[in-house]
Amino acid sequence: MTAEEAARHEEAQGIAVVGGGSLARAICYSLAVAAVPPPGTVTVLARSARAAHEIASVAGARAAVSGSPTRFTAEPVDAADQEALTAVLSRIRPRVVLNCASVQSPWEATRSPPAWTDLLSAGGFGIALPLHAVLARNVAQAIRSSRVPTLFVNACYPDAVNPLLHAEGLPVFCGVGNSATLAASLRAVLRPQAGERLRVLAHHAHLHAPADPADEARVWLDDRPVPQVGELLTAHRACSREELNAVTGHTAAVLAARLAAAQEVHADLPGPLGLPGGYPVRISGGRIGLDLPPGLTQEEAVAWQTRMAAHDGVTVRPSGEVRFGPRAHQALAARLPDLAEARHARDIAPLTHRLLSLRHTLRMQRPAADTDSAA
């Protein structure tokens, strides 16, 4: 890092959390009380002014009760408004920007299952990749336009979104959630001793048990492979996703605080270096690198992650090539027959509008049970 780069990094301070939903809340509420270096100021950037001020107010109260010096402020701004977001980032100059904003809610299936949810279930979670990418792309573009030396951490399907951003040349440091959340639960079960290194190679698809046990997440403790990983994750996978949000939020908060303090970090994170899936990493001096166990090369790890991504119904290669799998193609054959065609990351954006239109149409369809009862 040059002297000029170091000076610019010193100018950037604090954390900006983009989003006003449950994950943004979980992150801020953990930042208020976590026993990690206090980040100074945490700014909540949300489209809803009420949500932004509410999160900042509650988090500020928790920090005060806990004796934490961390301050929370609110900036109502829509992540879809790139110009406005750029202006805010240029003014507040955060060291870390953590994106939690997506146009596809993770809770849709549990709160109001529509025909759209059925489509995702049939075709794979990866169908929604463009919807998770659209706001993350806006945030990354705003960071680039602001020229603030910010570390961009993306929480929205980072296993696939981060490779998209990287292929477009947009800044993205790493992700949170998914493999990080799995690693937290494994740490609670295995209880590594001081100095022992837990390493986890896992994909978003491993939030659920794979149909073939041979495709289970891979775990090492002090370079020794850990057996029966599926059994170790049984309790984790039995928890509701909404409950696990507290774990995801806490792991993200601890990471963000340590990044803001420029501490060295060993962690298991999705989407580092714009790679697909989640890997063990080492972060030092504002740089991130893989921390794979001996005998496993980066090429082998990426190839494995690409195979695991097929379970989600979409693969994103480091070259930027995006392919939706047979399940997705079959589920959308009548509506988006060109989905099976390979495309580059830069060509994904137009697909977003088509998917949003399809989602709107399917959301209007009443479930078969409701139709029968109405008759």
Side-chain angles (χ1 to χ4, degrees), residues 29-278:
Y29 298 165
S30 280
L31 280 169
V33 300
V36 292
T41 299
V42 177
T43 307
V44 184
L45 310 179
R47 179 180 58 181
S48 164
R50 176 178 178 179
H53 287 289
E54 184 176 74
I55 295 170
S57 177
V58 172
R62 287 168 62 88
V65 171
S66 302
S68 169
T70 301
R71 301 283 181 173
F72 292 83
T73 64
E75 290 275 356
V77 61
D78 191 343
D81 187 340
Q82 189 184 134
E83 185 176 345
L85 187 58
T86 299
V88 171
L89 293 178
S90 298
R91 176 164 47 82
I92 66 175
R93 301 187 62 77
R95 179 73 178 100
V96 178
V97 172
L98 211 164
N99 176 56
C100 305
S102 172
V103 298
Q104 174 63 31
S105 169
W107 316 126
E108 183 164 359
T110 58
R111 294 177 179 172
S112 55
W116 169 252
T117 297
D118 295 339
L119 178 67
L120 291 183
S121 179
F125 183 86
I127 289 176
L129 168 60
L131 305 186
H132 289 295
V134 61
L135 295 184
R137 178 184 284 108
N138 275 1
V139 175
Q141 289 173 331
I143 289 171
R144 183 173 63 182
S145 297
S146 73
R147 303 189 68 184
V148 177
T150 290
L151 300 179
F152 179 35
V153 180
N154 173 45
C156 298
Y157 198 16
D159 300 67
V161 170
N162 286 16
L164 281 184
L165 302 181
H166 183 75
E168 291 187 78
L170 292 171
V172 60
F173 190 72
C174 66
V176 289
N178 303 340
S179 60
T181 307
L182 292 171
S185 290
L186 287 165
R187 184 172 295 278
V189 174
L190 294 171
R191 292 289 177 179
Q193 299 299 308
E196 285 186 318
R197 176 72 171 102
L198 180 71
R199 291 180 171 89
V200 178
L201 191 70
H203 192 275
H204 169 271
H206 290 112
L207 295 180
H208 306 283
D212 185 349
D215 288 339
E216 186 56 88
R218 301 173 66 181
V219 181
W220 295 262
L221 185 59
D222 260 7
D223 303 335
R224 301 185 304 273
V226 174
Q228 300 176 319
V229 173
E231 293 182 17
L232 298 177
L233 288 172
T234 298
H236 174 95
R237 287 168 171 161
C239 296
S240 73
R241 292 293 301 277
E242 293 189 62
E243 285 298 310
L244 288 174
N245 224 31
V247 180
T248 300
H250 193 68
T251 60
V254 171
L255 173 69
R258 289 177 176 169
L259 290 179
Q263 289 189 343
E264 181 171 311
V265 176
H266 288 269
D268 300 276
L269 301 173
L273 303 171
L275 295 175

